[in-house]
Amino acid sequence: MRDVAVVGVGCTEFGERWSASFRDLFVTAGTLALEDAGISGERIDALYVGNMSAGRFIEQEHIGALIADFAGLATNHIPSTRVEAACASGGLAFRQAVIAVASGMEDVVVAAGVEKMTDVGTGVSVDTLAGAADREWEGFAGATFPGLYAMIATDYMHRYPLTREQLAEVAVKNHENGSKNPIAQFQNRITVDTVLSSSLVADPLRLFDCSPITDGAAAVVVVPLERAREFTDSPVRVLASAQASDTIALHDRRDISTLDATVAAGKRALERSRLTHRDIDLVEVHDCFTIAEICAIEDLGFCAKGEAGRLTAEGVTALGGDIPVNPSGGLKACGHPVGATGVKQICEVVTQIRGEAAGRQVDAEIGMTHNVGGTGATVVVHILGA
Ligand code: COA
């Protein structure tokens, strides 16, 4: 297997992008990534696109071909593949690109993610997202994603010492980081009181515990490490790629407060990179709800079970803390265009390692990304380093 590097990144602004179509979003992110790598489209050997549900959000299928066409690559006849794993579609698309380059099959591969969620109303988007859970056992019984994560939060708070205020601190920290990220959907600072006084969505989760509904796209260029200097002076190496799966329904899990797929993927990534937690300078985790960030920090092994709430409130996961978590603002403040999120996480870690993150810069040589599909039925973890 060959070593692999990221040599270009590009991200659209995330938010309610009513004047930009699905195609506009993808082409913008792709163009930014190619410009960053200093190449034109003819150099691309293959495309992998993370997208959860264009069929329901914009009534368009056959996304791989559509993207290649509107990127101006149809007549080059390159392979273009849609990758779907619910909210982990982007992370998994990146993993396919890494595997394609590492295997020697392709040399210059674009991994992208795109989702256009705001063309439908909240009811349709919440129901579409519910398709990432078990439709027969969870969706038909009325469970939405806020509802499922509310069950996790209730179970967690019953068993471990997490206060409602500590949970709110996750959102406060991520909005603080988002206020320093020009692509973030929400760039406003909030307080614990903002979270606690916001509308109840699914007890105990309130509006500000939830990631929003978002339009956006992200893209990265992946090449063999040995060729990376042809494209950039600051390549970022992929040190490990790991993926794990679990039962799709929560009721079949051994323990709903621990995402076993996160535990497995996190362990595999560290083993493959031969690194320990102490070597990781920042981590972008999948905070689709505040409780998800608490579970992620613990399940990835950055602290023991039951400690993440206290550590968050003490500032350990803030930009200046021992282990900065979600310097981008995470899904909470940056927004969560489900197919794009996993690739945006890669963009953020690459930007941080290059020292180009401006007001939200952390001291980073090595970073980790953690992308979750559903309530943890798919988890993808990557480690990248200078
Ligand atoms: N955090 C903070 N503010 C939010 C928000 C969020 N998550 N979602 C919406 N808002 C704000 C909007 O900006 C808007 O503010 P304004 O009135 O000042 O313009 C207001 O709340 C109402 O927005 P609206 O779009 O009508 O919200 P909604 O009630 O339709 O949707 C949720 C709110 C929580 C139901 C929706 O964001 C949601 O379902 N989130 C979870 C998404 C999800 O499950 N993702 C997959 C996870 S695996």
Side-chain angles (χ1 to χ4, degrees), residues 143-162:
T144 60
F145 264 90
L148 291 166
Y149 275 91
M151 286 186 222
I152 295 176
T154 303
D155 178 62
Y156 184 103
M157 291 171 95
H158 179 65
R159 294 164 59 195
Y160 300 108
L162 174 70

Side-chain angles (χ1 to χ4, degrees), residues 5-319:
V6 177
V7 295
V9 297
C11 225
T12 66
E13 286 176 15
F14 280 14
E16 293 190 29
R17 300 288 312 278
W18 287 350
S19 57
S21 69
F22 181 91
R23 300 161 194 215
D24 296 334
L25 292 170
F26 171 78
V27 169
T28 303
T31 304
L32 289 170
L34 292 182
E35 280 173 8
D36 192 38
I39 58 169
S40 59
E42 297 86 68
R43 298 281 300 276
I44 301 172
D45 295 325
L47 263 170
Y48 290 93
V49 186
N51 174 256
M52 175 179 167
S53 200
R56 290 204 66 196
F57 285 127
I58 60 161
E59 298 187 6
Q60 174 74 59
E61 304 289 7
H62 209 173
I63 297 307
L66 178 92
I67 296 290
D69 188 5
F70 281 83
L73 301 173
T75 50
N76 296 23
H77 309 299
I78 60 163
S80 180
T81 309
R82 174 188 183 167
V83 179
E84 191 275 309
C87 306
S89 300
L92 203 54
F94 178 71
R95 182 167 152 77
Q96 303 317 305
V98 169
I99 291 168
V101 174
S103 72
M105 180 83 83
E106 315 283 3
D107 268 357
V108 180
V109 178
V110 170
V114 57
E115 209 78 53
K116 175 81 180 150
M117 301 172 76
T118 68
D119 284 0
V120 295
T122 306
V124 174
S125 48
V126 168
D127 186 61
T128 301
L129 292 167
D134 186 323
R135 184 63 85 178
E136 282 191 22
W137 285 99
E138 296 177 323
F140 287 161
T144 60
F145 264 90
L148 291 166
Y149 275 91
M151 286 186 222
I152 295 176
T154 303
D155 178 62
Y156 184 103
M157 291 171 95
H158 179 65
R159 294 164 59 195
Y160 300 108
L162 174 70
T163 66
R164 206 18 287 215
E165 287 74 14
Q166 288 170 340
L167 194 54
E169 293 282 7
V170 173
V172 173
K173 185 248 317 157
N174 288 345
H175 271 253
E176 174 64 32
N177 296 353
S179 75
K180 299 173 173 117
N181 188 348
I183 70 144
Q185 180 163 1
F186 297 127
Q187 299 184 23
N188 58 320
R189 295 188 173 86
I190 58 168
T191 63
V192 167
D193 193 49
T194 317
V195 184
L196 300 188
S197 60
S198 63
S199 355
L200 195 59
V201 174
D203 194 24
L205 302 179
R206 295 181 172 272
L207 181 66
F208 278 82
D209 289 297
C210 305
S211 58
I213 307 291
T214 310
D215 305 326
V220 301
V221 181
V222 179
V223 302
L225 181 65
E226 67 208 16
R227 289 190 52 196
R229 298 271 169 195
E230 288 174 33
F231 303 87
T232 176
D233 292 333
S234 49
V236 172
R237 189 171 164 189
V238 181
L239 300 172
S241 173
Q243 179 188 351
S245 53
D246 202 344
T247 66
I248 197 152
L250 274 186
H251 66 254
D252 285 325
R253 303 265 170 92
R254 177 188 67 80
D255 171 355
I256 66 167
S257 290
T258 297
L259 273 65
D260 282 342
T262 293
V263 176
K267 267 192 193 150
R268 281 174 203 158
L270 284 171
E271 277 165 20
R272 281 171 197 166
S273 63
R274 297 194 179 84
L275 295 168
T276 70
H277 292 96
R278 289 208 186 124
D279 300 310
I280 310 287
D281 300 312
L282 80 142
V283 53
E284 283 281 312
V285 304
H286 196 97
D287 60 315
C288 48
F289 299 92
T290 45
I291 186 64
E293 177 164 319
I294 295 290
C295 292
I297 300 167
E298 296 170 352
D299 300 343
L300 288 168
F302 287 97
C303 64
K305 211 69 203 164
E307 284 186 351
R310 177 180 59 78
L311 295 177
T312 303
E314 288 172 357
V316 172
T317 59
L319 284 186

